[in-house]
Amino acid sequence: MLDKNGIAKRISRELRDGYYVNLGIGIPTLVANYIPDGMNVVLQSENGLLGMGPFPFEGEEDPDLINAGKQTITTVPGSVFFDSAMSFGMIRAKKVDLTILGAMEVSDQGDIANWKIPGKMVKGMGGAMDLVASAKNIIVAMQHVNKAGESKLLPACTLPLTGVRCVKRIVTELAVVDVTEAGFKLLERAPGISVDQIKNATAGRLVIEGDIPEMVL
Amino acid sequence: MINKVVASADAAIAGIEDGMTLMVGGFGLCGIPENSIAALVRKGVKNLTCISNNAGVDDFGLGLLLQNRQIKKMVSSYVGENAEFERQMLSGELEVELIPQGTLATRCLASGYGMPAIFTPAGVGTEVAGGKEVRNFNGTDYLMEYAFDSHFAIVKAWKGDTSGNLVFRATSRNFNPLMAMAGKITIAEVEELVEPGQLDPDGIHTPGIFVHRIFQGSAYEKRIEQRTVRKRN
């Protein structure tokens, strides 16, 4: 079973040289720590920055320089700032190659719910609805089951949707699955996890074809 | 050059009355018009509708207006961690309209560019789509979203000249240039007010034609919401 860093590390294997990538809050943010050496990946922060660098050294925080999670950050050589409309222009016009974000639920048709739990205080969707509606490629980083032990990979989402038929791939602590016409297609198992464990943790349609390899991290 | 300078934040917000709709620039606490917000608190105008990506924190930014019960409605994409906001929202004192961030930005842009509406895929098939016109272009569904209509826009820039030309710094740009273009009356507060000619014409982000009043703010706190740092090796 993978921890959060393990999920981030596995997702980092989806990165390709020359990609522009938008990372959501939570596990997706950790993916930045696993960009392979020598690979050119430019991180987009939807509040208006391409070329997001690491956190600043203590004492060098700049209140005018934050990411979409409102954390102080830095730039890298070649970084550029722009306004929020241009930022979502990049996203809507599919210039951003890959969006990685968290989710509360994903359906086996690729619907995603990650912004609202009825009865609880609603914080807002931020940029998530824009990202999922437009992204060329969406990978969801999430736990396979919730704290109550219930599957988050469902036949249909029960929570209010963020977007419909948009998720392409999901990486969890147990598995890598793709969303296909036939449902969730199991691609890889986490180290030490059996196909049966994944089956038991998946409520939506799960397609298992042939031997399922263990993840290479 | 036309001189847009007003003497103070209090003079800049003249004409903002109870019940008006304001656009307020900033992302989180980054690039917010601190001096103008303080002036609105002093003036005590009530029943405001504020279009702003976020709603500040309890004791800073738009949170100051919330604390003072001056806001009737917030139009935002993310309202974050703000206990007073939560209390007012749950008790029904405060009306909240949540809008996808890109839609919020582009509705500002449409307004500033003189266009009545936009089409965006964000929110299709979700509760955000409720009651909205859906149009299909080239096989994809889009929601029609209207340009914002506001009485005033209040923005914060890094530098500005007396004729209203503005330059923003780093990610404090965010919604500010969009809202500057969208306001029927646009108020700009700047950290440094300079004479015409002192800003490079190639480097100006917002042409002064969009700005009606400008003043140099003072005592910027620029509070950091999430201070994240790394250790030196």
Side-chain angles (χ1 to χ4, degrees):
Chain A
M1 188 181 301
L2 301 178
D3 62 6
K4 287 179 178 182
N5 280 296
I7 295 173
K9 197 169 175 189
R10 172 60 190 80
I11 290 176
S12 73
R13 290 189 43 229
E14 307 289 324
L15 301 173
R16 298 289 177 270
D17 197 54
Y19 264 16
Y20 292 97
V21 179
N22 182 290
L23 302 178
I25 293 166
I27 300 173
T29 304
L30 300 172
V31 174
N33 299 331
Y34 298 101
I35 298 170
D37 285 342
M39 184 183 280
N40 289 304
V41 169
V42 176
L43 300 178
Q44 200 247 18
S45 190
E46 67 267 23
N47 58 319
L49 168 63
L50 265 177
M52 180 166 63
F55 295 143
F57 290 122
E58 206 169 345
E60 292 179 1
E61 309 91 296
D62 178 348
D64 289 337
L65 182 47
I66 62 170
N67 63 17
K70 294 157 192 152
Q71 297 170 310
T72 46
I73 44 148
T74 57
T75 55
V76 296
S79 286
V80 56
F81 299 115
F82 36 84
D83 67 55
S84 300
M86 189 181 283
S87 183
F88 283 93
M90 291 168 195
I91 291 162
R92 230 181 273 116
K94 304 192 193 305
K95 308 300 177 186
V96 175
D97 298 286
L98 176 62
T99 291
I100 302 168
L101 75 177
M104 298 168 184
E105 295 177 349
V106 177
S107 81
D108 62 20
Q109 294 113 72
D111 298 347
I112 179 171
N114 72 352
W115 76 283
K116 182 176 182 179
I117 300 174
K120 288 202 175 168
M121 172 67 188
V122 181
K123 307 279 188 197
M125 67 291 281
M129 282 194 183
D130 309 273
L131 282 159
V132 300
S134 300
K136 254 198 288 204
N137 188 8
I138 298 174
I139 298 178
V140 166
M142 68 180 208
Q143 302 296 324
H144 216 101
V145 294
N146 65 20
K147 283 176 187 142
E150 299 157 339
S151 180
K152 296 167 72 173
L153 280 71
L154 303 170
C157 293
T158 63
L159 296 170
L161 295 179
T162 308
V164 293
R165 296 176 180 272
C166 53
V167 175
K168 303 282 196 290
R169 182 165 283 186
I170 306 164
V171 179
T172 75
E173 77 280 19
L174 303 180
V176 180
V177 303
D178 269 358
V179 177
T180 68
E181 287 294 311
F184 298 120
K185 182 163 198 273
L186 183 57
L187 299 180
E188 297 174 20
R189 297 172 290 113
I193 299 296
S194 69
V195 169
D196 277 345
Q197 282 174 292
I198 297 163
K199 256 191 208 167
N200 290 337
T202 308
R205 293 172 296 157
L206 185 65
V207 179
I208 303 161
E209 283 173 5
D211 280 344
I212 306 300
E214 198 169 279
M215 287 179 202
V216 179
L217 291 170
Chain B
M1 279 289 159
I2 301 166
N3 190 317
K4 311 274 178 80
V5 178
V6 292
S8 65
D10 298 293
I13 64 160
I16 297 183
E17 304 295 346
D18 291 357
M20 283 188 169
T21 298
L22 313 178
M23 293 181 150
V24 183
F27 185 100
L29 301 178
C30 183
I32 59 171
E34 296 182 20
N35 286 254
S36 302
I37 291 170
L40 288 169
V41 171
R42 283 194 294 276
K43 186 168 183 176
V45 280
K46 296 223 182 314
N47 292 320
L48 299 172
T49 294
C50 290
I51 301 167
S52 188
N53 190 52
N54 312 93
V57 294
D58 272 325
D59 60 343
F60 201 56
L62 291 178
L64 296 170
L65 291 173
L66 285 165
Q67 246 179 22
N68 225 16
R69 313 277 170 86
Q70 290 175 261
I71 299 178
K72 177 187 68 177
K73 181 178 179 183
M74 279 301 311
V75 180
S76 304
S77 83
Y78 189 84
V79 293
E81 327 296 323
N82 186 326
E84 177 59 17
F85 184 101
E86 187 167 343
R87 194 197 62 71
Q88 289 185 23
M89 181 174 164
L90 295 175
S91 72
E93 290 165 66
L94 178 69
E95 201 185 325
V96 178
E97 185 180 350
L98 293 168
I99 294 180
Q101 196 176 125
T103 302
L104 186 78
T106 314
R107 289 176 67 185
C108 293
L109 178 131
S111 180
Y113 277 71
M115 300 182 294
I118 57 152
F119 291 93
T120 176
V124 169
T126 76
E127 64 183 50
V128 165
K132 289 174 185 163
E133 185 178 337
V134 178
R135 287 277 294 274
N136 189 286
F137 297 94
N138 302 319
T140 303
D141 283 340
Y142 295 82
L143 299 183
M144 186 167 79
E145 298 273 8
Y146 291 103
F148 282 122
D149 193 14
S150 66
H151 297 93
F152 283 83
I154 309 175
V155 305
K156 189 261 170 184
W158 177 39
K159 291 181 182 178
D161 70 20
T162 57
S163 65
N165 294 313
L166 303 177
V167 177
F168 303 91
R169 184 173 173 275
T171 56
S172 74
R173 189 181 318 184
N174 55 63
F175 287 82
N176 281 301
L178 304 166
M179 291 181 172
M181 288 179 67
K184 278 198 191 68
I185 300 176
T186 291
I187 300 162
E189 59 172 89
V190 299
E191 288 178 55
E192 191 184 344
L193 186 63
V194 301
E195 292 300 318
Q198 290 185 262
L199 298 175
D200 176 1
D202 268 331
I204 291 168
H205 299 127
T206 297
I209 189 170
F210 294 109
V211 175
H212 302 83
R213 305 170 186 173
I214 190 167
F215 69 97
Q216 182 167 306
S218 60
Y220 280 102
E221 181 180 333
K222 291 197 180 183
R223 194 182 294 183
I224 290 173
E225 213 165 331
Q226 304 280 343
R227 187 179 299 275
T228 44
V229 294
R230 72 187 141 130
K231 292 232 171 354
R232 285 174 202 277
N233 293 335

